[in-house]
Amino acid sequence: MIDIIPHDSGITELRIARPPVNLIDVGVLKSLRHALAEAARTGQRGIILSGAPGVFSSGVDVAALVGGDYEAVREYWQQVFLLASEMALSRQPIFAAITGHCMAAGALLAVFCDYRIMAQGPWQVGLNEVRVGVALPDCFQVAVRRVVGALQAERLLVFGRLLSPQQALEVNLVDELAEPSQVVARTRERLQELLSVPPQALVSTRAIARRDLRDVFADVDALPVDDFVDAFLQPETQQALRRVASRLRQPAAAAAQ
């Protein structure tokens, strides 16, 4: 589910590997959390989060959650909140190599990274949860606002807009574009550039710069997991999710989530 690829300079690449479209299930979430913890434990200096050629992640594995019992659904979303918290609090910079389509939960993971480089091509990226009846809680919207600004965050979230790579660059949802074959290499170069800064200055400056995000996720027990799960299990939301669940396994359907 997660390929762990060592690079030079104390960098580890965590590649989401759940074909065909890298849907995020509870196994992917737990594997990512474990890999991040292991990278910290072994003293890795930086992380690259990547996907497969043409698809970074098409988002939540909706089919696994439609009609699920409360405890199973809560376990899934608790893992999402915990992963977001750990990314927000990470002492290691995390850079996203967005290798293709990047939808919903996939885009949310990218937002929590320090820097995002996306492949040029016929891909789409966006936080389109509203289109399947899901309202992102404020703790996640804070992460989006700090990346693109308040007005653009409102447009992206309320309309559920999906953007081309160039459009994403124009609103700062991604920081750079690269040729598809060069996305990971370019991301590694940028991360190595960051890691060349004197370590203590980097750690201190980054902690100050990301303090707003860290503060929101510092108290895991205060995150609104139960409220979110209750809303997710509402009949209207479940009905909307059923309409898309059968399409998510097809790459071309990534844009429909």
Side-chain angles (χ1 to χ4, degrees):
M1 291 186 178
I2 301 296
D3 292 335
I4 300 174
I5 305 166
H7 292 273
D8 295 335
S9 306
I11 294 171
T12 293
E13 179 183 348
L14 306 180
R15 183 193 304 162
I16 303 171
R18 189 166 182 254
V21 292
N22 279 354
L23 294 176
I24 298 172
D25 67 357
V26 72
V28 170
L29 294 168
K30 290 181 176 180
S31 295
L32 273 174
R33 292 186 60 215
H34 176 77
L36 287 172
E38 187 66 12
R41 186 188 69 80
T42 57
Q44 296 301 295
R45 300 182 62 213
I47 305 294
I48 296 172
L49 183 60
S50 67
V55 58
F56 178 78
S57 172
S58 292
V60 172
D61 189 352
V62 171
L65 296 176
V66 171
D69 63 60
Y70 181 89
E71 290 304 320
V73 172
R74 189 185 189 284
E75 166 68 5
Y76 181 89
W77 289 109
Q78 183 179 46
Q79 292 297 319
V80 172
F81 279 82
L82 288 172
L83 176 58
S85 178
E86 289 157 6
M87 292 180 72
L89 301 175
S90 173
R91 290 178 60 85
Q92 290 76 31
I94 305 173
F95 279 29
I98 303 174
T99 49
H101 286 305
C102 183
M103 310 294 183
L108 194 62
L109 288 180
V111 163
F112 276 86
C113 293
D114 294 65
Y115 201 82
R116 290 155 290 278
I117 299 180
M118 186 172 185
Q120 295 175 321
W123 325 123
Q124 291 186 304
V125 57
L127 295 125
N128 52 338
E129 286 86 350
V130 69
R131 292 186 174 271
V132 292
V134 175
L136 285 182
D138 187 59
C139 59
F140 292 143
Q141 294 200 27
V142 165
V144 180
R145 288 196 294 270
R146 72 185 301 277
V147 169
V148 301
L151 181 59
Q152 287 295 346
E154 178 184 341
R155 296 290 185 263
L156 292 174
L157 294 165
V158 174
F159 286 88
R161 286 179 174 167
L162 296 174
L163 307 179
S164 69
Q166 182 60 43
Q167 290 171 326
L169 181 66
E170 290 168 1
V171 300
N172 298 319
L173 186 57
V174 301
D175 297 287
E176 294 184 39
L177 303 180
E179 290 297 319
S181 63
Q182 296 300 310
V183 172
V184 173
R186 182 60 174 159
T187 304
R188 184 176 62 247
E189 290 173 4
R190 282 300 195 197
L191 183 51
Q192 288 172 329
E193 178 184 333
L194 178 66
L195 295 175
S196 70
V197 173
Q200 188 55 51
L202 172 59
V203 169
S204 298
T205 303
R206 182 173 173 273
I208 294 168
R210 289 171 66 88
R211 181 177 293 158
D212 54 346
L213 188 61
R214 293 173 63 89
D215 286 349
V216 170
F217 284 90
D219 185 355
V220 175
D221 293 334
L223 297 175
V225 178
D226 290 325
D227 290 344
F228 183 82
V229 170
D230 288 341
F232 187 84
L233 290 173
Q234 289 297 309
E236 177 183 304
T237 300
Q238 290 288 299
Q239 183 178 7
L241 292 169
R242 287 189 182 93
R243 287 198 295 267
V244 301
S246 63
R247 303 198 300 269
L248 290 178
R249 296 290 177 181
Q250 299 300 321
Q257 185 177 347

